[in-house]
Amino acid sequence: MTNRRNAGGRTYGPEPDALETDGHVRGEGARGEARGAADGEARGNADGGARGKADGRAPRALVVAQFVNAVGDGAFYVSSALYFTRIVGLSAPQIGAGLAVAWAVGSVAGVPLGHLADRRGPRGTAVLLALATAASVGSFLVIRSFVPFLCAAVAYATAQSGLAAARQALLAGLVGPAARTRVLARLQAVLNGGLAVGAALGGLALHAGTRTAYLAVFALDAVAFLACALVLARLPAAAPATRTPGGGPGLAVLRDRPYALLALLNALVLLRMPLLSLALPLWIVERTAAPGWTVSALFVLNTCAVTLFQVRAARSVTDLATAARAVRWSGAVMCAACAVFALSGIGRGAGAGAAVAVLVLGAVLQVLAEMRHSAGSWQIGFALAPDDRIGQYQGFYGTGVPVARTLGPLLVTTLLIGWGVPGWLLLGGVFLVAGTATGPAVRWAEAAR
């Protein structure tokens, strides 16, 4: 007996030929076929109704969970490094090494935890991983030395990577394919807004500079993940994926070479992540005539642009062809942004005003490329993942984020601060090549399906 699948990949009733065969075998004849067809239609309608209800409720709930997480994370991100150096007494190399190890482990853990979401159900897995993240953040409250910090950081990165994959699988189970990129764009916009609010709260802790203020930030982040778990638990349950006979090995994504290539290309484009948070601040201070406040101005520009325009930037991305074009365009624009940033360090004699203008132009190009890349990347990651393995495929595709967090800082600081203008041009070439190669890689993956 074969089964049809709706747009979301769920089975909703046997095919007519299978119904007829089943009816004749049972001696029911036409009555068996009619009852089977009616049953299949009723189940299809019930499934469609459930998906319709989920499509209405799920985006709102996911937006709430995203905003709550972002507020806590924003406060955590701006204050954690200074807490561990000034209050706990860890050195900067210890923090850097610990976080590098943690995100390296997290990048590996995303695939099996995504696979767990496929097999056991994404909602329950996401709730458990949100609780695990809350516990790992809470453990930072009592850390006083490097080894416990390393253990807590590994637990945090592992839970975060798995939670990202499980939430993507949950979204796929509750939101139809046509709406996923639009919903993800809303989530990205809310993420940036929440991070800005959280960063402001973290700034209050930095201003106070006391142990109590820092610990309040960690407590806020832990409570935020507890609230996230509560919101996710109230969502409709998405059924665990059903293994198809002869469907291949459990962790099939590790053998999917076209998808692995796309994940690699995505990771290369994601090297833009440490630019705004690390490379540009160092570049502005050491290599340009721009004042120090330019760093904050560029961060505010990026955050506000994504919050206001990410949904609009994603509207034209509706299938794999438009997604590949968006990523190719993003790579070209990021290449141009790198050239503009390089230019800001050449004419230091032109004065601070000229340097700020050039940096703002580069930041505008960067955020335009960021929004288009995000939209195209979401569509590619979902559309090429098998319906019964979305969790593990999203876990694998999402490794680009921890890879960028782990290797990106060392790579971009070496290229940009160490090499200067040639480093910017080389990095721009990487973006251009990765964006251009995405189209052929998508076509290869489509042909292999």
Side-chain angles (χ1 to χ4, degrees), residues 124-151:
T125 305
V127 169
L128 288 176
L129 288 170
L131 294 174
T133 307
S136 63
V137 173
S139 69
F140 288 133
L141 294 169
V142 296
I143 283 173
R144 300 293 182 268
S145 60
F146 175 71
V147 173
F149 163 77
L150 177 62
C151 295

Side-chain angles (χ1 to χ4, degrees), residues 2 61 70 75-76 101 119 369 393:
T2 58
F76 176 82
V101 171
R119 299 279 76 84
Y393 268 68

Side-chain angles (χ1 to χ4, degrees), residues 249-328:
L251 295 180
V253 67
L254 301 180
R255 296 170 174 81
D256 192 334
R257 289 182 293 174
Y259 201 85
L261 175 59
L262 284 166
L264 173 61
L265 295 173
N266 185 58
L268 290 176
V269 180
L270 284 174
L271 289 175
R272 60 175 169 74
M273 292 177 62
L275 289 184
L276 193 63
S277 61
L278 179 63
L280 275 174
L282 294 175
W283 175 261
I284 288 170
V285 172
E286 296 184 13
R287 297 296 191 99
T288 77
W293 56 260
T294 310
V295 174
S296 298
L298 297 185
F299 181 83
V300 171
L301 170 65
N302 182 278
T303 301
C304 291
V306 174
T307 302
L308 295 174
F309 302 116
Q310 179 66 76
V311 174
R312 182 178 300 178
R315 284 176 183 166
S316 62
V317 179
T318 56
D319 53 25
L320 285 172
T322 54
R325 285 197 294 271
V327 175
R328 183 176 68 244

Side-chain angles (χ1 to χ4, degrees), residues 216-236:
V217 166
F218 285 85
L220 172 65
D221 198 24
V223 170
F225 277 102
L226 291 176
C228 171
L230 179 62
V231 173
L232 295 177
R234 295 173 65 86
L235 281 169

Side-chain angles (χ1 to χ4, degrees), residues 1-376:
M1 181 180 293
T2 58
N3 290 303
R4 289 178 288 175
R5 291 183 177 269
N6 62 13
R10 295 186 177 179
T11 57
Y12 66 96
E15 292 279 14
D17 60 335
L19 284 166
E20 183 175 351
T21 303
D22 187 62
H24 284 304
V25 168
R26 295 181 182 180
E28 296 286 344
R31 286 176 296 174
E33 179 180 351
R35 282 198 302 269
D39 178 66
E41 182 178 358
R43 278 181 287 167
N45 291 337
D47 182 72
R51 169 61 67 83
K53 293 179 182 178
D55 277 345
R57 298 202 320 250
R60 291 190 294 271
L62 291 170
V63 163
V64 172
Q66 183 83 307
F67 180 77
V68 170
N69 271 171
V71 171
D73 280 345
F76 176 82
Y77 291 154
V78 301
S79 58
S80 57
L82 291 180
Y83 168 76
F84 288 121
T85 54
R86 294 180 178 177
I87 306 300
V88 177
L90 300 180
S91 66
Q94 283 179 316
I95 295 174
L99 292 178
V101 171
W103 285 111
V105 174
S107 67
V108 175
V111 175
L113 289 174
H115 180 64
L116 178 66
D118 290 332
R119 299 279 76 84
R120 299 298 182 185
R123 186 187 68 175
T125 305
V127 169
L128 288 176
L129 288 170
L131 294 174
T133 307
S136 63
V137 173
S139 69
F140 288 133
L141 294 169
V142 296
I143 283 173
R144 300 293 182 268
S145 60
F146 175 71
V147 173
F149 163 77
L150 177 62
C151 295
V154 168
Y156 173 80
T158 299
Q160 279 276 55
S161 298
L163 177 59
R167 286 167 70 161
Q168 296 289 71
L170 179 60
L171 184 148
L174 298 178
V175 177
R180 287 174 193 163
T181 298
R182 183 173 69 253
V183 171
L184 284 165
R186 288 175 57 193
L187 293 176
Q188 184 72 5
V190 168
L191 170 66
N192 277 264
L195 287 174
V197 174
L201 295 175
L204 296 177
L206 294 178
H207 178 72
T210 64
R211 175 185 291 272
T212 301
Y214 284 114
L215 294 182
V217 166
F218 285 85
L220 172 65
D221 198 24
V223 170
F225 277 102
L226 291 176
C228 171
L230 179 62
V231 173
L232 295 177
R234 295 173 65 86
L235 281 169
T242 303
R243 288 291 299 274
T244 56
L251 295 180
V253 67
L254 301 180
R255 296 170 174 81
D256 192 334
R257 289 182 293 174
Y259 201 85
L261 175 59
L262 284 166
L264 173 61
L265 295 173
N266 185 58
L268 290 176
V269 180
L270 284 174
L271 289 175
R272 60 175 169 74
M273 292 177 62
L275 289 184
L276 193 63
S277 61
L278 179 63
L280 275 174
L282 294 175
W283 175 261
I284 288 170
V285 172
E286 296 184 13
R287 297 296 191 99
T288 77
W293 56 260
T294 310
V295 174
S296 298
L298 297 185
F299 181 83
V300 171
L301 170 65
N302 182 278
T303 301
C304 291
V306 174
T307 302
L308 295 174
F309 302 116
Q310 179 66 76
V311 174
R312 182 178 300 178
R315 284 176 183 166
S316 62
V317 179
T318 56
D319 53 25
L320 285 172
T322 54
R325 285 197 294 271
V327 175
R328 183 176 68 244
W329 186 89
S330 171
V333 174
M334 273 304 305
C335 181
C338 288
V340 171
F341 286 137
L343 183 63
S344 69
I346 294 177
R348 299 192 66 171
V356 170
V358 173
L359 289 166
V360 168
L361 174 60
V364 170
L365 292 174
Q366 179 186 352
V367 74
L368 290 173
E370 175 185 336
M371 291 187 290
R372 291 294 287 170
H373 170 251
S374 295

